[in-house]
């Protein structure tokens, strides 16, 4: 004969079976890290003193900063710098892709010539390359395309090249050598199984490169090439050697005319270079974020999202500490 069934009292709301109700009702609070807060406070105090010291030091002559910052010669120099950097980046990227494909070629002659190009232009110091390009017309007054020892179809006078063209050619040739190695490294970083799968599908080499290899290689190429572009902004200051007044040249000429304002003029030049680098770094971040789609579970947060998350987490921690002190 079976025993009669007994109804069990349901557990109280919020209680956990086998656990003391007082322990189960305790609120989980984040662990306090007093040393982290102490170090953060010390760093903030030192940083505040540094910033206040800069803006209160009379030797910086901040009252002259804005007039020089918006001076017409400085703005013209910024425009020239942007032109040199933009055109050199395009020339370097296009030529770098060609040289990188040559380095990856199975043809020993093409691969050897591409390697020699990279070796030559990475070995030459950039100021020397600019001087050689500037005096190129002395050795070759004319350059033409045609049949060897036969008629010439097109010809150009090298002496007619402007300082802007000379600077772009020199920087572009130098940039292409580094860009080729960056692109080659990105292509080699693609897993070989992806190429084998593309071969199994019967894709042509050009279609494999465009649809399989490059989309994956760009995740490795973009950060390194973005670093190269930032270096190109600083390298563009050397076009002053070929009599081109870029931002650095404008600062140099301005400080020679106003030696009494040397410090604020140098600060203006540094501020413009910092601003250009900051803009390029922001663009690089969003380009990297775009090409990271599909390779990560969650895209890296933007600066605004990080600030919002930090604010929410800070308020949540402060609220948890207050509730704990009140006994909740």
């Amino acid at each position: 004969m079976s025993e009669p069934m007994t109804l069990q009292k349901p557990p109280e709301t919020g209680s956990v079976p086998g656990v003391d109700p007082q322990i189960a009702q305790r609120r989980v609070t984040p662990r306090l890290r007093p040393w982290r807060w102490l170090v953060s406070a010390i760093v903030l105090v030192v940083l505040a003193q540094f910033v206040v010291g800069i803006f209160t030091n009379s030797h910086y002559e901040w009252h002259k900063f804005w007039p020089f910052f918006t001076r017409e010669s400085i703005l013209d120099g910024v425009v020239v710098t942007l032109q040199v950097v933009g055109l050199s980046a395009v020339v370097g990227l296009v030529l770098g892709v060609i040289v990188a494909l040559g380095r990856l070629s199975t043809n020993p002659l093409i691969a050897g010539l591409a390697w020699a190009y990279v070796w030559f232009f990475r070995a030459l110091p950039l100021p020397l390359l600019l001087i050689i390009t500037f005096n190129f017309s002395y050795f070759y007054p004319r350059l033409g395309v045609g049949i060897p020892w036969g008629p010439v179809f097109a010809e150009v006078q090298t002496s007619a090249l402007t300082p802007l063209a000379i600077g772009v050619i020199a920087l572009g040739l130098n940039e292409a050598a580094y860009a080729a190695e960056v692109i080659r490294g990105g292509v080699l970083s693609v897993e070989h199984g992806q190429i084998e799968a593309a071969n199994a599908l019967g894709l042509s080499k050009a279609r494999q490169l465009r649809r399989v290899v490059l989309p994956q290689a760009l995740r490795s190429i973009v950060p390194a090439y973005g670093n190269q572009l930032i270096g190109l902004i600083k390298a563009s200051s050397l076009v002053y050697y070929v009599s081109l007044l870029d931002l650095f040249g404008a600062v140099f000429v301005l400080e020679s005319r106003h030696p009494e304002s040397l410090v604020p003029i140098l600060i203006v030049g540094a501020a413009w270079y910092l601003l250009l680098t900051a803009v390029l770094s922001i663009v690089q971040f969003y380009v990297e974020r775009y090409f990271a789609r599909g390779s990560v579970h969650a895209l890296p947060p933007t600066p605004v999202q990080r600030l919002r998350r930090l604010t929410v987490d800070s308020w949540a921690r402060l609220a948890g500490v207050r509730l704990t002190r009140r006994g909740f």
Side-chain angles (χ1 to χ4, degrees):
M1 186 173 181
S2 61
E3 298 180 357
M5 297 181 60
T6 58
L7 297 177
Q8 297 181 356
K9 183 178 179 181
E12 298 179 359
T13 304
S15 63
V16 181
V19 180
D20 189 354
Q22 295 182 353
I23 298 178
Q25 291 179 359
R26 292 180 182 177
R27 184 183 296 272
V28 178
T29 57
R31 179 182 177 185
L32 299 179
R33 302 179 184 271
W35 289 107
R36 178 184 296 181
W37 289 100
L38 179 60
V39 172
S40 300
I42 294 174
V43 171
L44 287 176
V45 169
V46 174
L47 182 63
Q49 289 180 343
F50 178 74
V51 173
V52 171
I54 289 178
F55 286 98
T56 57
N57 193 332
S58 59
H59 294 285
Y60 287 104
E61 301 180 68
W62 290 107
H63 60 282
K64 298 181 181 179
F65 174 81
W66 187 252
F68 284 120
F69 188 80
T70 57
R71 201 178 184 91
E72 184 178 0
S73 59
I74 295 292
L75 297 179
D76 292 339
V78 172
V79 172
V80 173
T81 296
L82 292 176
Q83 290 176 346
V84 171
V85 172
L87 294 175
S88 301
V90 173
V91 172
L93 181 60
V94 173
L95 190 56
V97 171
I98 297 174
V99 175
L101 294 178
R103 290 271 281 143
L104 295 171
S105 174
T106 56
N107 188 321
L109 177 61
I110 295 177
L113 290 176
W115 177 87
Y117 178 92
V118 173
W119 164 75
F120 180 80
F121 284 101
R122 288 201 303 181
L124 283 184
L126 190 52
L128 179 59
L129 180 59
L130 282 164
I131 295 174
I132 292 174
T133 309
F134 184 73
N135 295 282
F136 188 77
S137 60
Y138 175 78
F139 303 97
Y140 300 96
R142 294 183 302 274
L143 289 178
V145 178
I147 301 175
W149 302 287
V152 177
F153 303 120
E155 189 178 67
V156 61
Q157 298 285 338
T158 56
S159 58
L161 293 176
T162 62
L164 177 61
I166 293 173
V168 169
I169 291 173
L171 290 176
L173 292 174
N174 180 80
E175 185 68 18
Y178 292 94
E181 290 300 284
V182 170
I183 295 170
R184 185 175 71 91
V187 172
L188 292 177
S189 67
V190 178
E191 188 179 353
H192 190 67
Q194 300 288 329
I195 301 177
E196 293 179 349
N199 288 328
L201 293 174
L203 299 180
S204 63
K205 294 296 183 181
R207 192 172 180 84
Q208 287 181 27
L209 181 65
R210 188 176 66 255
R211 307 289 292 184
V212 178
V213 177
L214 280 182
Q216 300 181 63
L218 283 173
R219 293 199 300 268
S220 301
I221 293 174
V222 169
Y225 191 69
N227 189 46
Q228 280 296 121
L229 291 181
I230 292 176
L232 182 61
I233 292 178
K234 296 182 291 184
S236 66
S237 61
L238 297 175
V239 297
Y240 184 67
Y241 283 99
V242 294
S243 304
L244 186 61
L245 282 180
D246 66 323
L247 175 57
F248 176 79
V251 169
F252 186 80
V253 172
L254 196 60
E255 70 181 20
S256 64
R257 295 177 180 176
H258 302 275
E260 75 284 354
S261 303
L262 175 63
V263 173
I265 293 176
L266 292 178
I267 294 176
V268 164
W272 270 114
Y273 278 111
L274 289 173
L275 180 60
L276 295 177
T277 304
V279 172
L280 185 57
S281 299
I282 294 172
V283 174
Q284 177 187 346
F285 170 79
Y286 282 100
V287 173
E288 288 183 23
R289 193 171 185 268
Y290 175 81
F291 285 108
R293 299 179 306 171
S295 61
V296 294
H297 295 291
L299 293 176
T302 63
V304 176
Q305 292 174 344
R306 290 181 181 179
L307 181 61
R308 187 184 305 164
R309 183 180 302 176
L310 179 62
T311 304
V312 172
D313 291 346
S314 300
W315 279 110
R317 290 179 181 178
L318 290 175
V321 170
R322 292 174 181 174
L323 290 175
T324 303
R325 290 179 178 176
R326 293 178 181 179
F328 289 97

